[in-house]
Every structure is written in structure tokens, then in C-alpha cells.
Amino acid sequence: MTHRKSPSPTKPELLAPAGSLEAFFAAAEAGADAVYCGLKAFSARAKAKNFSVADLEKMSAAQHAAGRRLYVTLNTLVKERELPELVDTLATLDQIGVDGLILQDLAVWKLAREHFPQLELHASTQMTVHNAAGVKMLERMGFTRGVLARELTLDEITAIRRQTHLELEHFIHGALCFSFSGQCYFSSFLGGQSGNRGRCTQPCRRRYRQRGKDGYFFSPNDLSAIDLLPELIAAGICSLKIEGRMKSAEYVHNVVSAYRMVLDADRKHRQDVLKEAKQLLKDAFGRPPTRGFLAGPTPVDIVSPNLRGATGRWLGNISQVRGRQIGFKTRDLLQAGDRLRIQPASDRPGTAFTVRTLQLGRRPVKQAAAGSQVTVPTPFADRFQVGDAVFKVSSRQAFTLSETACRKRLERISTEPTALNLRILMPDNHSLQLTAELAGIEHTARFAVETFPAKDNPLNRETLRAAFSQAGNNGFRLEQLTCRKLPPVVIPPSRLKQIRREFYAQLAQQLSCRRQNHDSSARQRARRSLLACGEPAGQERRTTLGLGNARDLQILARDGIDRVLLPLSAGNIQGVQQAGRWGRQTERIVWDLPFILPDDQWQQTGELIRTLYEQGFRRFRLGNLGHFPLFDDYPEAELEGSYRLFILNSQAALAWRDLGLSGGMAYIEDDRDNLADLFTRPTGLPLDLTVYASVPLLTSRIPLKNLQKEGGISSDRGDRFRVQQRSGVSILSSETDFSLLDRQQDLAALGVRRLTVDLSHLGAFSPRGKQVLNALQKESPLPNTSVFNFDFGME
């Protein structure tokens, strides 16, 4: 692998998105130090154009030739049947020599670490690494970089930096998710389109209603940290990341240019440059800007419920519709070539088109000034209505390199040459011996030569270097040439040229064979490591009941309840102590750690675990990488994983087992077909499956106190939701719970014998809780529930 100079906190990397070839070249032209992009598979932006392997090879060569870096995102969750394709992808990326893989699924981590160790691994922000312990775990696991959660403050980032040497990357600009990245099930629950599979339909951007008041309650403004670059650098961020693989080349060019200007500005001129850069950002057609959590733990401007969730510059609302024509008063300059998106009042998906012509009254014009009443022909009939909003999402001054031009430009790029060292000697006056060292290969060849006594300018090192530096199209770059004492002779230049061609052709063949053998060997080893399908594991049935409060511990007296899951809190520890004999059944109580654990809660959580350990409790459920170091001093602890530790395939299960889990949980978004594949793999990690729960559609650090107090949130589609606030974490759930209680025989046939019923939101002895337990016992359906993706599949 070709290693490029790594960024440092003193000279941070400006990292740009590329969802298309136009955006890739726009990023390079604007001055990005590195680009991240996705393949057509395994990308968390599956709706972007993305790239083929052949594209990536050329793009990597272009980046490396310019001293820049290329990172590839393999940051989706991988289904069991996709593992062979994942192996092939890793082998190919290893051969190309990309500078890093950005990943979420630990299957990627395990396969890359064991079979393609030269690939550098970056932990995606979708892994929700949000404290120093999580970053330390990444260090232990061999990651070279962690992309921090976007919910951290500058002070929290600074504190993490003091405790780690790992490269830290952070977003500085672009769209924000309401939920912690990787922890949103909103899109999947409403329609099977999983954000963790790159297919988010962005329901958070839609309009919702609470007690007759409409609002975009879950649609954050766009992050813009251009004012905070010195503070981010001082905090220890070495890579400044711009979001936007779904954005246009114009957006990428404008945003990268703005941040490049400010990063390169000297202190004396910084304020003037900053002003100019902010104007560029205004032309990027984003949402209103916010500093997010960087400025503090309670940002007041991160969500504006009265603003539509769409991107672009709002021009006005449609006042007139005639067939394919719309009329409106534009708030901004409008020109032929601009691109508009019409957003219906319901905030259902908008429709975009490019303005070909426009009219002022009956007069056709090329442009219309702000404040003009314009008529714009559209490609659509009967699509738009009076009141729909008009947004400008791109201007005709966009980055002008077309996709065709970009494709031609890419084709002209030569793949990166391989550096070689060359030793030359003449054993006698009639032969020339060459030895090349490159990429772990040493190759020697001897060539017959006809020589002539030198009257002047005899053969020397400079002559040989000039001859062999011309590598032609063989893909080599001569780094160093050494030679022993040469006789005072002359070799005809034509013969040296012929030797060069023949020798480099031999090298190319040797290198190709070695790469193919290496690739084939690593690929075959990785494929052999994949677990074959077998019979479902014969495990005894076990039912775990999730409780919200220790006062319900007496439910352990009920037949068929083997264990309970309790949230780890001081109140519940006290409740267990007061629960009499039920609280002393330490083997039947599993303590569930809070999913989000900021560093300022770390010591307190550690003290709670020590208290429980001293009382004889050994079973704990983990939901984040940052939980593992809490148990460094407790080797006898039995650690289990929640569904937030993603297990969608057998390699991920093996990875979590390697990290110390004694049990795991199948992913809550999963479907019947993939569960069947997963549960027939002998991973050695027993897996539970959630069969009843309130699914946390959004898990956020953004406060929702007003919504919680007033309650009753609904959508235009009739969906209803509830809001909870726990220890600084907001959770949006559907009022329709997830249930597979009537599918227990189906699940048993798949090999699922360990069931988890989560009643933490209901209470075990509430009327609804009793209904659920009755349905569990009778394996009967419950009204007003959803099977989530079980029947119809998760895309």
C-alpha cells in the first residue's frame, strides 16, 4: 500500500465528499487534501452515484500523484449473504492501495484486520464513538482514526484528545442527523429503508403536528463551523470533514473553497477572508447554519421547527399554476440554467428540474431580478399546487465540468507508478546485469551488449540513469540507481532503450503475478474463513424481560421468565437492595448500561459497577464500544451485547466474541431471510432476539422537552409518536410497538431460542404489560403492533 503523509493537529486535513465524478474533481480543484467516496455497494449513501472499482483505481492514482489521499466508505451493515462480495471488495481495495476504509460493521474490521492488514481502518461516526473510552477501544482494535460523534462539544473533544494518540476526525460542515449517527431506525420502521444500509428516506425532514401546531421538530439546521476552525485545531482534530456525498459538485466546490481560504489565511487577514468565505457558503444552497454542539451542550439554534426541512434557498411560494407553468415572486436572482426544487406544503418528497426558460409577463428573459413575478415552464403537468414552496438548489454558475468531461479526464489518468531501485554492473565488456528491487520483489536479468571503446564520454551512472528513468507506460518510477565501476566503453543508446523495454516488461510481469498471487491467496483465505451454513444451534429456550424499574422484580416469580434486564442506575441498585429475595437472584439479573455515556458520567458509572460487583452481580449488557473499558478490572464479568452492537452477519458475531462478549443480540431491523442465514452459522456467540419492544426511532442529544410535556406527535400519514427524555438523551418512539410474539414457532424453526421482551416503557404489571406477557405465553398476536422488517425485508 502507498502511504501518504498523515495529517496532524497542527496541519489538519481538509476532507471533502465525492458522490460523483464531478464532485471528485470539484474537490480537487478547490483544494481538498483528501476525498472520501463510496463504492456502488456497502455505502451509507447508496443513493449517490458512487463509483466502480475501475474509477477508484484511477481516482487513487490521481490523488496520490498530487500528494493527496483517498478514503473509501464501507460504512453500511452487511447481510450474511453479502460477505463473499465484501471479501472481494476488500481484496480489490487492498490491491488498489486506498488510504483508508471508513467502516461501521465489525465484519469489515475483522476481515480486513485478519486478511488485508495493510488497509488502514477508520471508525465511522455511525459507530457512535462519543467518549475517551470509545476512542481507546479503537486504539486497541488497530484503527488509525476515529470519526467522532457530532454531538460532542469542543471541551469534550479536547478532553478526549488528552487521553489518546489516535487520529481524530470531526465534521465541520453539512447536514446533521437529529439522531446519533448509526442509531436511527425511523426510515426503516416506516418503510424498510434502513439508514444503516444507506437508504434513508429522511422522515426526520418531514412536517409533524402536535396539538394542532405544525412543525419540523426533527429537522436540524446545517452544521457550519467555519468560525471555529482555530478552536477545532487546538482541540486536536487532525481531519476536518465536510458532509455531502449526496450534494452537487457546485456545493462541494463552494464549501471546500471557503474552508480552504480560511485554513490558509494568515492571522492578519483572517477576518476579511472569513467574510468572503461565508459568502461562498451562502451560495452553497444549504439550510440555515448552526455550530451544533461544538459551541456547547445545549445548542439553541440546531433545530428551527418553523423552517422547512428541505435544502436550498427559498425563493417563494407558487401563486399560479397553468398546465406545465408555475408563477411566483422570486426573492432572489433567477436565471436560465438554475435548478429548482418544488416542495409541497405537506413536505412530502419534492420535485427538481432545471430552468430552461423563464418569462416576465409574456416576455421571455434569461434572468429575473429579485422581487420579480416570474413564470417558469416545467417538465411536469399537474404536479404542483398553489402554495408549494420553490427552492433554488443550484445555479448556472455551478462547477461546469460535465459528467462526460469528467469521465474523459478520468480515463486520461495513469495508474500510480511503482517505485523501484536499480543496481547495474558489467561483469565483462559484453554483458549488462540489472537487479531491480520493488514492492518486495528482487529481479535480476543479464543482457548481451555490443560495446565500443570510449574516446570521450564513457558509460557512467548519469548516462544509465537517463536511459532507465524513461519508464514509458510500464508503470515504474526509478527512485535510486547504483552501479559499480564501469569499463571505459560506450553502449549504443538504441541498445540501452531496447534493454530498458525488455527489463521493465519482465518486471511488470513479475509484479502482476505477485499481486495476483497475493490477492488470490488473501482472498481465498478470507473466503475460507467465512462460516458455512449448518443446522440451527440447539439451545434451550430462554426468555429475558426488560424492565424499567426494580420495583417490578417480582415478575421473576412468573413461569417462563428466566431473567430480567434492568437499566443501570443508582435508583435501581437501591431498588434491588429493597426487593428482598428477588434482588438476591444475581444470576437472573442483567444490568443494562446507558447507551450514551459522556465522559463526565464515566466515574459515577464505574462506581455503580463496582458496587454491583461487590454484591455478587456479574452480568451486564453493553451497547457501545466505550462500555468495554469499564470492565478492564473485572475479568469474571459476563458481558452481553444489545442490538446497538450491530450483528447482522456471522463475522460481526465473531468479532464481538473476540472483543469479549459472551452473548449478543441480533439486529432489531433484521428480516426473516437474513435471520435464517445468521442463526445457522456456528459463531460460538449465543444470540438473543428482541420479540417485543418500543423501537427508539431517534436517539438524540437534542432536547425535546416541550414535545415531551405536551405529547401527542403525529405525521401527515397518520403515524403517531411518543417522546421520552432520559439522562440528557431524547428518544422518539412510535406509539406502535414492535412484536413477534405470535411468530415464536417460526423463530424456533430459524434457530432462535433466546427471546427478549422489553417492557421498560410499559411496566410489567401495567394493563398493557399484562397483555404482552399473556401473548408471550400463548404465542398470540397483539393488536396495534408491527412486525417491523421481519416479513417484508430490510433493504
Side-chain angles (χ1 to χ4, degrees), residues 138-414:
L138 296 179
E139 283 186 310
R140 294 183 195 179
M141 295 165 69
F143 284 87
T144 59
R145 180 180 295 185
V147 187
L148 296 175
R150 283 174 273 197
E151 288 75 12
L152 296 178
T153 67
L154 280 166
D155 288 343
E156 289 171 327
I157 294 169
T158 302
I160 290 172
R161 174 78 283 164
R162 294 194 195 106
Q163 301 181 60
T164 180
H165 298 291
L166 194 76
E167 291 182 5
L168 299 180
E169 179 176 303
H170 198 279
F171 282 93
I172 57 169
H173 198 91
L176 289 171
C177 292
F178 190 92
S179 178
F180 283 93
S181 292
Q183 305 302 328
C184 175
Y185 309 124
F186 208 169
S187 173
S188 184
F189 193 81
L190 294 183
Q193 305 279 315
S194 172
N196 280 330
R197 296 269 295 165
R199 291 167 173 83
C200 179
T201 58
Q202 296 192 317
C204 55
R205 300 294 182 189
R206 298 174 189 161
R207 186 181 66 181
Y208 294 90
R209 175 165 293 187
Q210 181 195 49
R211 295 199 171 184
K213 181 181 179 181
D214 291 340
Y216 302 91
F217 305 117
F218 315 115
S219 179
N221 293 325
D222 282 0
L223 177 65
S224 181
I226 198 160
D227 289 304
L228 299 176
L229 293 182
E231 290 83 354
L232 281 161
I233 295 169
I237 296 299
C238 72
S239 181
L240 304 167
K241 187 172 192 173
I242 297 166
E243 182 275 338
R245 281 193 289 138
M246 294 290 292
K247 300 292 181 64
S248 67
E250 177 188 18
Y251 171 91
V252 172
H253 193 273
N254 282 353
V255 175
V256 173
S257 296
Y259 281 88
R260 182 79 276 160
M261 289 165 55
V262 176
L263 285 171
D264 292 347
D266 58 47
R267 184 174 298 180
K268 179 180 178 181
H269 299 98
R270 186 174 184 276
Q271 289 304 315
D272 290 336
V273 172
L274 187 59
K275 183 178 180 180
E276 183 181 352
K278 286 184 175 180
Q279 184 57 49
L280 262 181
L281 294 181
K282 286 182 180 179
D283 293 337
F285 303 104
R287 300 179 183 89
T290 175
R291 295 181 179 186
F293 287 91
L294 290 172
T298 54
V300 296
D301 64 347
I302 196 166
V303 174
S304 303
N306 60 321
L307 296 179
R308 294 175 184 267
T311 57
R313 187 174 303 156
W314 179 56
L315 299 184
N317 294 328
I318 294 177
S319 58
Q320 190 177 63
V321 178
R322 291 181 179 176
R324 295 177 179 267
Q325 293 186 333
I326 60 174
F328 60 94
K329 186 176 182 179
T330 179
R331 292 162 45 96
D332 193 17
L333 174 69
L334 183 62
Q335 305 175 85
D338 290 350
R339 189 161 179 82
L340 304 182
R341 185 180 62 251
I342 312 302
Q343 200 74 40
S346 66
D347 208 40
R348 291 175 182 267
T351 302
F353 62 91
T354 299
V355 177
R356 302 301 179 190
T357 61
L358 63 156
Q359 296 173 226
L360 288 178
R362 297 185 178 181
R363 179 167 55 94
V365 294
K366 291 293 184 182
Q367 66 178 37
S372 302
Q373 180 70 33
V374 297
T375 300
V376 178
T378 80
F380 308 100
D382 303 321
R383 178 73 63 90
F384 309 123
Q385 297 180 9
V386 171
D388 289 354
V390 183
F391 290 87
K392 181 161 67 170
V393 294
S394 178
S395 73
R396 74 174 189 178
Q397 283 84 16
F399 180 77
T400 55
L401 203 57
S402 68
E403 183 175 1
T404 301
C406 287
R407 182 63 56 186
K408 290 180 179 178
R409 186 170 171 180
L410 190 72
E411 290 171 356
R412 292 195 297 268
I413 295 172
S414 300

Side-chain angles (χ1 to χ4, degrees), residues 67-107:
R68 299 187 291 257
R69 293 169 288 277
L70 181 75
Y71 308 130
V72 175
T73 58
L74 296 183
N75 58 343
T76 60
L77 300 182
V78 182
K79 289 189 174 184
E80 184 68 29
R81 294 182 187 181
E82 295 168 344
L83 288 175
E85 182 184 357
L86 175 61
V87 167
D88 292 342
T89 299
L90 289 170
T92 301
L93 295 176
D94 182 48
Q95 190 174 43
I96 290 174
V98 299
D99 296 290
L101 299 184
I102 306 171
L103 65 95
Q104 175 186 19
D105 194 319
L106 285 200

Side-chain angles (χ1 to χ4, degrees), residues 542-545 556 561-565 588 590 619 640:
R542 187 184 74 183
T543 300
T544 301
L545 193 66
L556 285 170
I561 304 300
D562 302 294
R563 313 186 312 165
V564 295
L565 186 67
R588 299 180 70 188
V590 183
R619 295 184 173 180
E640 302 176 16

Side-chain angles (χ1 to χ4, degrees), residues 645-682:
L645 299 185
F646 314 112
I647 298 179
L648 205 64
N649 60 71
S650 56
Q651 290 296 308
L654 293 172
W656 290 113
R657 190 189 68 180
D658 291 346
L659 291 175
L661 291 188
S662 60
M665 180 168 275
Y667 188 45
I668 198 168
E669 288 188 79
D670 211 349
D671 57 47
R672 182 201 304 267
D673 291 344
N674 193 65
L675 287 170
D677 292 333
L678 174 60
F679 275 84
T680 54
R681 264 59 180 189

